[in-house]
């Protein structure tokens, strides 16, 4: 199996992306061509939702698709994320959900500023605008960090296709949707390993059980239908379902 590897800076950290050549030629390149055709047909900005449970590789995939588009000669594609719409820590430290402090379950849907995200999504359909990002080195969002100004915008996030109020209302604003998922055991391993890079293994496991596990299960159990569904196996290979 042949692989293509690259390094991207995502949320302040360097991340290695690894994809098989078969995935690139049979899944990713056709998707990019489809979005280009969709833009040519609609003659207005195309917004693609790429949703997935935590640790399913959506941020890395969007960064890779951005680069792949340029390699294919498409200079009108850009990737953005919804993590910049996290409430800042000084908000999470003084607000609660289900009887617990939001800071302790950071990453759940309630820890995001949904109203702000929705307004930005609506505005992005018709105009260029400054977009926030999440900086993992600061553990806080940064406002107006990048400019959304391309014809085809790939927006990734955990809850973009969440079948719960009010989140389900977002889907009406996308032109194409993708849902990525993998086995829960694989996602658990990835999430604990990622969290342990900044804390102890014991604390990482505790956070997974307290927060990440619930978010994974919530996304997998409550999702809207997508135009494309991709399954990620433990080797990092996608299968289109």
């Amino acid at each position: 199996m042949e692989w293509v590897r690259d390094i991207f800076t995502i949320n302040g950290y360097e991340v290695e992306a690894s994809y098989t050549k078969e995935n690139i030629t049979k899944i990713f390149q056709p998707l990019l061509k489809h979005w280009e055709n969709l833009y040519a047909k609609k003659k207005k900005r195309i917004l693609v939702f790429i949703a997935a449970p935590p640790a399913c590789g959506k941020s890395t995939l969007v960064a890779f698709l951005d680069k792949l588009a340029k390699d294919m000669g498409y200079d009108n594609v850009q990737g953005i994320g919804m993590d910049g719409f996290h409430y800042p820590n000084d908000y999470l430290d003084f607000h609660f959900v289900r009887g617990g402090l939001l800071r302790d379950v950071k990453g759940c849907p309630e820890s995001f500023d949904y109203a702000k995200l929705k307004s930005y999504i609506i505005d992005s359909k018709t105009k260029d605008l400054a977009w926030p990002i999440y900086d993992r080195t600061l553990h806080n969002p940064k406002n107006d960090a990048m400019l959304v100004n391309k014809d085809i915008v790939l927006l990734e996030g955990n809850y973009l296709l969440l079948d719960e109020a009010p989140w389900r209302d977002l889907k009406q604003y996308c032109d194409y949707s993708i849902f990525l998922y993998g086995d829960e055991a694989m996602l658990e391993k990835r999430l604990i390993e990622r969290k342990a890079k900044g804390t102890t293994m014991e604390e990482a496991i505790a956070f997974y059980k307290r927060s990440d596990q619930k978010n994974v299960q919530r996304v997998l159990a409550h999702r809207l239908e997508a135009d494309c569904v991709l399954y990620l196996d433990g080797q990092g290979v996608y299968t289109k379902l």
Side-chain angles (χ1 to χ4, degrees), residues 58-162:
K58 60 193 177 301
S59 300
T60 309
L61 178 58
V62 165
F64 182 78
L65 288 172
D66 191 328
K67 181 179 183 297
L68 180 62
K70 293 177 176 60
D71 292 342
M72 294 171 66
Y74 303 145
D75 61 357
N76 60 343
V77 178
Q78 71 179 129
I80 58 176
M82 63 166 275
D83 280 357
F85 294 90
H86 265 100
Y87 284 116
N89 290 330
D90 57 5
Y91 177 96
L92 301 177
D93 284 336
F94 292 96
H95 290 79
F96 297 82
V97 60
R98 293 185 293 276
L101 194 65
L102 262 179
R103 179 68 172 268
D104 291 335
V105 289
K106 185 175 180 179
C108 69
E110 293 79 9
S111 68
F112 286 84
D113 189 339
Y114 170 83
K116 181 179 178 181
L117 171 64
K118 181 178 179 180
S119 70
Y120 272 58
I121 287 176
I122 293 172
D123 286 347
S124 74
K125 296 288 292 181
T126 57
K127 62 183 180 183
D128 297 346
L129 75 165
W131 194 267
I133 66 169
Y134 187 83
D135 191 328
R136 292 189 181 277
T137 64
L138 301 174
H139 302 291
N140 255 326
K142 292 173 63 177
N143 291 322
D144 303 336
M146 64 183 300
L147 179 66
V148 177
N149 63 349
K150 299 294 186 179
D151 299 323
I152 299 171
V153 177
L154 315 180
L155 173 59
E156 58 86 7
N158 293 331
Y159 307 119
L160 296 173
L161 295 177
L162 184 64

Side-chain angles (χ1 to χ4, degrees), residues 196-210:
K197 292 179 180 179
T199 184
T200 66
M201 181 59 70
E202 291 75 13
E203 290 172 332
I205 293 172
F207 185 82
Y208 175 79
K209 293 180 178 179
R210 182 174 70 247

